[in-house]
Amino acid sequence: MIAFVSGPVAALAPTTAVIEVGGIGMALQCTPHTLADLRVGKEARLATSLVVREDSLTLYGFRDDDERQVFELLQTASGVGPRLAQAMLATHSPDALRLAVSTGDEKALTAVSGIGKKGAQKLLLELKDRLGEPAGAHIRQQGVGTPHTAGWRDQLQAALIGLGYATREADEAVDAVAPQAEAAVAEGTTPHVPQLLRAALQTLNRAR
């Protein structure tokens, strides 16, 4: 198993980071908030989880070991593969997921793209005794199922700047997709940052 990779960041894409390790570029699938911490040419160390399939080997990258552990525990629930587990971590921090599961917060799970009401109910039952209690007390103060501490706007802007866009370009792209995010908030759901990132990149490509 590859526990982590460490080296300079060779390239960044909307869902992928390439880390140079011993002259080899390792492509890691990452969430937007993980990508937001990375800069091309800068050193990085990411915890990893290798997913083996008959026709592919996919390496997933995480900020720390705790996030990697939650990613792997989520997949012990029936119907949860690596893509859905990653989507859950793109929407909620590990502690927010633990708190949502421990308190039976169905709404927090349905905020994740790909999880409906019945799926959320099933996950709450299966994961109840697997994720453990939240480690961060600040999560309890923020409320059940609170997403990553940075709001969708901050996460999105950081991800765009991490991909090499100027601050002005990032601000304009964030403003362009703001109505989409605000509509989600109005419906009582959490804005899906990966989806917003794709939409923001489309507006930037059209502008160029």
Side-chain angles (χ1 to χ4, degrees), residues 120-134:
Q121 293 171 343
K122 186 177 180 183
L123 286 173
L124 289 173
L125 287 174
E126 292 194 31
L127 294 172
K128 187 173 182 180
D129 299 320
R130 301 182 191 181
L131 294 187
E133 290 296 317

Side-chain angles (χ1 to χ4, degrees), residues 21-88:
V21 182
I24 298 174
M26 307 284 285
L28 286 73
Q29 297 292 314
C30 304
T31 61
H33 73 276
T34 298
L35 292 170
D37 290 340
L38 307 177
R39 298 292 182 271
V40 173
K42 300 294 185 180
E43 291 288 322
R45 184 184 188 279
L46 296 179
T48 59
S49 179
L50 180 64
V51 176
V52 180
R53 296 287 185 266
E54 289 185 2
D55 57 349
S56 67
L57 295 173
T58 306
L59 198 60
Y60 289 83
F62 309 92
R63 281 180 168 178
D64 52 39
D65 292 336
D66 182 48
E67 192 170 58
R68 187 258 310 280
Q69 181 183 32
V70 170
F71 172 79
E72 293 175 346
L73 286 172
L74 290 171
Q75 293 176 72
T76 64
S78 58
V80 178
R83 289 184 182 277
L84 183 55
Q86 189 180 48
M88 294 172 75

Side-chain angles (χ1 to χ4, degrees), residues 183-208:
V185 172
E187 294 174 358
T189 61
T190 303
H192 190 228
V193 175
Q195 184 177 353
L196 292 174
L197 179 58
R198 287 192 291 270
L201 289 171
Q202 289 174 357
T203 67
L204 288 166
N205 290 335
R206 285 197 295 268
R208 290 182 174 182

Side-chain angles (χ1 to χ4, degrees), residues 129-207:
D129 299 320
R130 301 182 191 181
L131 294 187
E133 290 296 317
H138 67 282
I139 294 292
R140 294 187 181 277
Q141 297 170 3
Q142 292 174 350
V144 175
T146 302
H148 293 282
T149 52
W152 69 266
R153 184 179 289 272
D154 293 335
Q155 288 186 55
L156 184 56
Q157 183 188 49
L160 290 168
I161 292 174
L163 289 171
Y165 289 98
T167 301
R168 179 184 58 80
E169 291 178 306
D171 288 342
E172 292 175 353
V174 169
D175 288 339
V177 300
Q180 183 178 338
E182 290 165 358
V185 172
E187 294 174 358
T189 61
T190 303
H192 190 228
V193 175
Q195 184 177 353
L196 292 174
L197 179 58
R198 287 192 291 270
L201 289 171
Q202 289 174 357
T203 67
L204 288 166
N205 290 335
R206 285 197 295 268

